[in-house]
């Protein structure tokens, strides 16, 4: 069974401080991992995925298979980064499609 | 741009009512999903469909059913709404790994 753990429900940082949102996963195969973000009153949207290895809005995430982690990082937090962040793992459902398993989410609050 | 729309942003229903939530996508995606989103619980998969008329149970299917008669439309049905089904319901579609989400329907059952 696949599982995603986000240990922090809430993370508060000051503007300009570094941010790290933690994500650990459990999956028997080769994982495809994502970070989704939901800003206030907006729909859930993809922030980044590990296979693209790109930086979006200053955020990066590295897949560490040894530690089964996919932590999201940003060197200098901005107020507009305040949002709900979900880590997600894509695995084959065994029934015709890939299925995303989400963590419970971390609410990031950036203090001005 | 992929567009996923949901029929209502807010819905208030009474206990015991039959409730229909509609989702439509315009990108010819094979796969569609229904989640509920609750504080502290994240997103939990209710049902998904990988083709017309095909459906599979997710993690929390009890009390729900779905219908997919056309590729672009996926309906979630609450046969007899209960107060513990008060939640935010999200629809998504995909053609592979990445899922695209609708704006959500906030359902309140009184």
């Amino acid at each position: 069974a696949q599982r995603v753990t986000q240990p922090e429900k809430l993370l508060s940082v000051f503007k300009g401080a570094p941010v790290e949102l933690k994500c650990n996963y459990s999956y028997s195969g080769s994982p495809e991992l994502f970070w989704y973000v939901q800003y206030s009153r907006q729909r859930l949207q993809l922030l980044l995925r590990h296979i693209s290895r790109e930086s979006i809005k200053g955020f990066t995430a590295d897949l560490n298979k040894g530690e089964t982690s996919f932590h999201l990082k940003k060197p200098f937090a901005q107020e507009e980064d305040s949002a709900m962040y979900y880590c997600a793992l894509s695995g084959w459902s065994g029934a015709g499609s890939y299925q995303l398993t989400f963590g419970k989410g971390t609410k990031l609050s950036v203090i001005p | 741009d992929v567009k996923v729309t949901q029929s209502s942003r807010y819905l208030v229903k009474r206990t015991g009512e039959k409730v229909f939530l509609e989702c439509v996508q315009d990108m010819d995606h094979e796969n569609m999903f229904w989640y509920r989103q609750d504080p502290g619980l994240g997103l939990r998969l209710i049902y998904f469909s990988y083709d017309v008329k095909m459906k599979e149970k997710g993690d929390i299917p009890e009390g729900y059913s779905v219908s997919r008669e056309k590729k672009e439309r996926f309906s979630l049905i609450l046969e007899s709404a209960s107060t513990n089904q008060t939640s935010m319901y999200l629809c998504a579609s995909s053609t592979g790994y990445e899922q695209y989400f609708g704006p959500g329907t906030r359902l309140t059952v009184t």
Side-chain angles (χ1 to χ4, degrees), chain A residues 36 38 43 46 86 95 97, chain B residues 4 31 37 50 98-99 101:
Chain A
Y36 279 81
Q38 189 170 31
R43 68 180 66 195
L46 180 68
Y86 292 97
S97 75
Chain B
V4 181
N31 310 313
Q37 182 183 29
Y50 56 91
E98 181 177 347
Q99 293 187 14
F101 285 82

Side-chain angles (χ1 to χ4, degrees), chain B residues 60-103:
Chain B
I60 52 164
E62 296 79 19
Y64 303 94
S65 62
V66 291
S67 172
R68 192 159 181 209
E69 297 296 319
K70 294 185 178 181
K71 191 174 186 179
E72 68 271 17
R73 189 179 297 269
F74 191 35
S75 302
L76 180 69
I77 303 155
L78 287 66
E79 295 290 341
S80 177
S82 63
T83 54
N84 63 11
Q85 292 178 310
T86 291
S87 186
M88 173 70 86
Y89 290 87
L90 300 183
C91 174
S93 73
S94 80
T95 190
Y97 298 125
E98 181 177 347
Q99 293 187 14
Y100 299 86
F101 285 82

